[in-house]
Amino acid sequence: MNQEDIKQIFKSKGIKNTRQRQRVYEYLIACQQPVTADAIYMDLARESAGDETLNLSTVYRILDIFLKQKLIIKSNLTNDNKSTFELNKREHRHHLVCVKCNLVTPITGCPLKGYDQMLSQSTHYEILEHKLEVFGVCPKCQGHS
Amino acid sequence: MNQEDIKQIFKSKGIKNTRQRQRVYEYLIACQQPVTADAIYMDLARESAGDETLNLSTVYRILDIFLKQKLIIKSNLTNDNKSTFELNKREHRHHLVCVKCNLVTPITGCPLKGYDQMLSQSTHYEILEHKLEVFGVCPKCQGHS
DNA sequence: GTAACTGCAAACCTTTTGCAGCTTG
DNA sequence: CAAGCTGCAAAAGGTTTGCAGTTAC
């Protein structure tokens, strides 16, 4: 996906195209993982050359806009009071999180297919979505106790 | 469960028995739901008579201790950057959250029985736990759009 | 009596906001 | 050109910490 493609996505969502928004969106495409606002800011600030400035509050404002247009998803994966953001792939995704190194791996397939519907019948809720995250120790961290 | 029972629980965990800790623990038993530190503080402060003071930072410190002794569980159910705490019943629990009124209802039974083991085999992770939360609109909030 | 706990106030950290200047369409 | 975006600094809100006084064992 190149800059022109991203521009088109923004256009279709009524989002004005700016250098900062391009960069944040490119970053989210590249990292393929839930990330914090601060991580986006730090990484992009680091790789900035000269006048390519980017402010943390701008990152938050951009993330808000992306959220409102449902380009991204917000969640609180860890318990450290930081929100994480990731691209909203249409496919419904879950993650496996390593509690030692914090590596986040997408899980292929949803084990809850059909469950939402069943739950809707038994509770009379209108089910909108579910969040599932699995926690464990990744192969690399096993043994390095 | 009376005060003496709670005292015994504290003793078994090496937690010194104080008035504040008793009150927070009683509160968690009574509310049977994930609650924020602030909610605990507000409710207990309101019902405090005379010298029964309780400080918000004390609530946080008590929750930290309960967490370390695994008496409670911490999570980030909502996206508003507040942590919630609930008693750690040994049975593994999930919740149904109404996105309109924030009502939290426990779900009976875990739809992921056996899934962890399967995932462990396919990923070579040592699976420790999973968190599942389902979001929807409760019967009362439906229609009141 | 002593180690540990609590209240208070201040610090800390993430996130939000007001405003002046700049950019995009 | 006008509307809207960005940077900066300051504020806001949740959580943590230092310290002096109090309490539990």
Side-chain angles (χ1 to χ4, degrees), chain B:
Chain B
M1 182 173 305
N2 62 27
Q3 297 207 346
E4 199 53 41
D5 294 330
I6 297 176
K7 202 168 163 179
Q8 286 311 313
I9 292 174
F10 287 174
K11 195 166 194 174
S12 74
K13 295 283 190 179
I15 296 174
K16 196 187 260 190
N17 184 47
T18 70
R19 178 175 50 75
Q20 290 86 341
R21 290 170 185 189
Q22 281 264 350
R23 295 183 68 205
V24 171
Y25 198 84
E26 280 170 10
Y27 183 88
L28 289 170
I29 291 174
C31 70
Q32 291 281 19
Q33 271 198 6
V35 285
T36 62
D38 193 58
I40 299 172
Y41 168 66
M42 298 293 269
D43 285 351
L44 291 182
R46 182 156 38 71
E47 72 183 36
S48 287
D51 62 337
E52 298 227 321
T53 123
L54 175 63
N55 193 277
L56 180 56
S57 56
T58 303
V59 172
Y60 277 110
R61 280 191 274 232
I62 291 175
L63 291 172
D64 276 346
I65 288 175
F66 288 179
L67 267 177
K68 286 209 183 84
Q69 298 305 325
K70 301 200 193 296
L71 288 176
I72 61 175
I73 295 169
K74 176 179 182 179
S75 48
N76 294 65
L77 276 185
T78 54
N79 274 343
D80 62 355
N81 313 316
K82 290 185 192 178
S83 298
T84 55
F85 304 84
E86 69 183 307
L87 229 51
N88 181 11
K89 315 265 175 148
R90 275 301 159 204
E91 344 112 42
H92 164 90
R93 270 272 195 74
H94 300 305
H95 300 96
L96 182 52
V97 182
C98 176
V99 298
K100 297 208 172 179
C101 68
N102 284 318
L103 177 70
V104 178
T105 319
I107 292 173
T108 53
C110 171
L112 294 162
K113 276 185 184 159
Y115 177 69
D116 288 353
Q117 198 182 347
M118 196 214 78
L119 192 64
S120 174
Q121 287 176 13
S122 64
T123 63
H124 306 290
Y125 269 60
E126 178 194 348
I127 305 295
L128 299 174
E129 62 166 333
H130 61 245
K131 292 187 184 170
L132 168 67
E133 308 297 341
V134 185
F135 299 85
V137 184
C138 74
K140 280 189 185 168
C141 289
Q142 289 170 34
H144 301 196
S145 68

Side-chain angles (χ1 to χ4, degrees), chain A residues 8 11 41 44 46 61 64 77 97 101 112 115 126 142:
Chain A
Q8 285 311 314
K11 195 166 194 175
Y41 169 65
L44 291 183
R46 183 156 39 70
R61 281 193 273 232
D64 276 347
L77 275 184
V97 181
C101 68
L112 294 162
Y115 177 69
E126 177 195 348
Q142 287 172 34

Side-chain angles (χ1 to χ4, degrees), chain A residues 34-90:
Chain A
V35 285
T36 63
D38 193 58
I40 299 172
Y41 169 65
M42 297 294 267
D43 284 352
L44 291 183
R46 183 156 39 70
E47 72 184 36
S48 287
D51 62 339
E52 298 227 321
T53 123
L54 176 61
N55 193 277
L56 180 56
S57 58
T58 303
V59 172
Y60 277 108
R61 281 193 273 232
I62 290 175
L63 291 173
D64 276 347
I65 288 175
F66 287 178
L67 268 177
K68 285 209 184 85
Q69 298 305 325
K70 302 203 191 297
L71 289 176
I72 61 174
I73 295 168
K74 177 178 180 177
S75 47
N76 295 63
L77 275 184
T78 54
N79 274 345
D80 61 355
N81 312 318
K82 290 185 190 176
S83 298
T84 56
F85 304 84
E86 69 182 309
L87 229 49
N88 181 11
K89 315 263 176 152
R90 275 304 158 199

